[in-house]
Amino acid sequence: MGNPGDKDVEKDAPKNHDIPTASAPLYTEEATAAAAPGPNSSQPSEPPPDYEAATATTSAATGGPGGSSSSRRRILHRPFPAALHARYQWKLTGTFHLCGGAGSESERLFAAVVHRGLVNDCPRVTLHNGPTERHPFLADACEDPGAGMLERYYSLDNVIRLLPLPGAGTGDARERVREVMRARTVGDSGLGYRFAVEVEHGEKLVREEFEWRKSKKGDDEEVKDGGFKLLRLSSQQPQAASSSSSSSTAASEDGYEVVALFKWNKTLTNMMQPFELRFVGAGLSGSLGERWAVMAVITGLRLWWLHAGGRANRKTAAIGEGGMAGVYMYG
């Protein structure tokens, strides 16, 4: 997002569900070079690796979700691996990293920067297209900027901002597309966070709905310490026995395809590595595209933010569903 004084140009996501592919790239070489660290910076100044080489290497090693996207839609400096592991830094900083492995020596692939917010600036977390905050903006997630402090705490709406679709923007580097991930109670005891995003359907991009569905610790073998499963809501199918393989297409209790897992690491040995985001099913195959993958990661970072603030729970969502009366009654 740049400095707090910089104003981004924001617009709502398109409402049409059938979006033709455009050939214009999201990043030009000039824009990427301008946003990358300079020679006098203390940050690494190496340019991002060639995408084709990175795709071949990462896909072969991890089977990650980025390798199948059309070249006209590629935005990542390298594709996401099959699993991203969050790793904090020992020094006091608002930056942590999404890494390609769980070990302390695993490569730092993407930077996530926490902004606590100034008087007129919402607290947010920003995902960068590289391992430092000097690398280009990919997406961010924040509170509802139109709500007051108390309303914001219980707001069901989580604002997600992405780069414009290829060919759809004005060319302004500050332009952002506003999406919303909305919390809701599910059934008698469940919790979900629903959003829509463009996914690849051949040569077209089509908006589909997805939902992060909460799993409690001990309820599910795939997320032993608790977390969330990302459901593809257009994929409801008859309940089938799911494979134990993480690369298989799993089904939730409601028969939806699971395309990603967000898992907490709640052990003393994992204090510096708080969570893991793993792609599965169609999310792992790359068939949903990079825009979907970026949305999955930034909404996962939003879940981490809500969890850290004690807000990723059914009670908070239920109070928000009650409207302002519920907020002032329980707040």
Side-chain angles (χ1 to χ4, degrees):
M1 277 185 67
N3 298 323
D6 296 338
K7 290 187 177 180
D8 296 322
V9 180
E10 185 176 307
K11 64 179 182 179
D12 291 331
K15 301 301 181 185
N16 55 307
H17 290 261
D18 193 5
I19 305 166
T21 300
S23 58
L26 282 175
Y27 285 119
T28 62
E29 292 182 4
E30 291 81 2
T32 301
N40 296 323
S41 169
S42 60
Q43 304 291 352
S45 58
E46 299 89 341
D50 176 73
Y51 191 98
E52 298 294 343
T55 298
T57 302
T58 306
S59 298
T62 66
S68 299
S69 289
S70 165
S71 61
R72 290 175 290 182
R73 305 183 188 122
R74 292 172 182 163
I75 59 175
L76 299 175
H77 79 95
R78 62 186 300 168
F80 290 131
L84 287 165
H85 300 260
R87 182 165 9 119
Y88 294 154
Q89 300 188 71
W90 287 106
K91 61 182 180 181
L92 292 177
T93 175
T95 301
F96 64 96
H97 294 93
L98 300 180
C99 305
S104 60
E105 300 303 318
S106 58
E107 185 176 4
R108 299 175 179 182
L109 302 179
F110 299 89
V113 182
V114 174
H115 305 266
R116 296 297 177 185
L118 302 175
V119 176
N120 296 316
D121 190 26
C122 282
R124 66 197 185 280
V125 59
T126 301
L127 178 65
H128 289 270
N129 197 9
T132 76
E133 61 183 294
R134 290 178 175 269
H135 282 83
F137 172 99
L138 267 181
D140 68 7
C142 65
E143 314 288 341
D144 181 355
M149 186 174 295
L150 183 58
E151 299 169 64
R152 188 182 294 170
Y153 185 89
Y154 292 104
S155 175
L156 300 174
D157 292 341
N158 301 273
V159 176
I160 308 296
R161 303 194 310 166
L162 304 175
L163 293 165
L165 287 164
T170 63
D172 190 331
R174 300 168 301 169
E175 187 173 1
R176 309 286 184 253
V177 175
R178 184 181 189 270
E179 301 278 5
V180 174
M181 179 174 70
R182 189 170 178 83
R184 72 185 189 102
T185 56
V186 180
D188 294 331
S189 59
L191 174 67
Y193 292 88
R194 182 173 295 194
F195 62 85
V197 71
E198 293 80 14
V199 302
E200 295 190 1
H201 283 248
E203 290 302 308
K204 294 181 179 180
L205 293 174
V206 178
R207 284 181 70 82
E208 288 191 25
E209 287 194 323
F210 297 83
E211 183 170 273
W212 285 108
R213 192 72 61 81
K214 188 172 185 179
S215 296
K216 296 180 180 179
K217 181 177 180 179
D219 286 352
D220 196 306
E221 185 65 22
E222 291 182 297
V223 282
K224 294 180 180 180
D225 290 324
F228 293 82
K229 289 184 173 184
L230 185 56
L231 311 185
R232 187 180 189 181
L233 299 184
S234 64
S235 66
Q236 192 168 34
Q237 53 193 296
Q239 183 73 24
S242 60
S243 168
S244 60
S245 172
S246 61
S247 63
S248 66
T249 299
S252 77
E253 64 275 10
D254 295 328
Y256 294 108
E257 179 187 2
V258 177
V259 290
L261 303 171
F262 187 91
K263 307 189 290 184
W264 304 118
N265 293 325
K266 295 184 177 179
T267 63
L268 291 176
T269 57
N270 286 323
M271 290 179 62
M272 300 301 291
Q273 300 178 40
F275 65 83
E276 172 191 345
L277 193 155
R278 181 174 295 276
F279 297 99
V280 297
L284 179 64
S285 72
S287 61
L288 300 179
E290 275 193 354
R291 190 171 184 83
W292 170 84
V294 171
M295 188 67 164
V297 173
I298 192 61
T299 53
L301 288 173
R302 180 60 182 171
L303 295 178
W304 163 81
W305 180 288
L306 293 171
H307 177 78
R311 297 159 59 191
N313 56 68
R314 180 182 171 88
K315 179 181 178 180
T316 301
I319 293 173
E321 287 176 337
M324 287 309 301
V327 169
Y328 287 118
M329 181 181 296
Y330 295 97

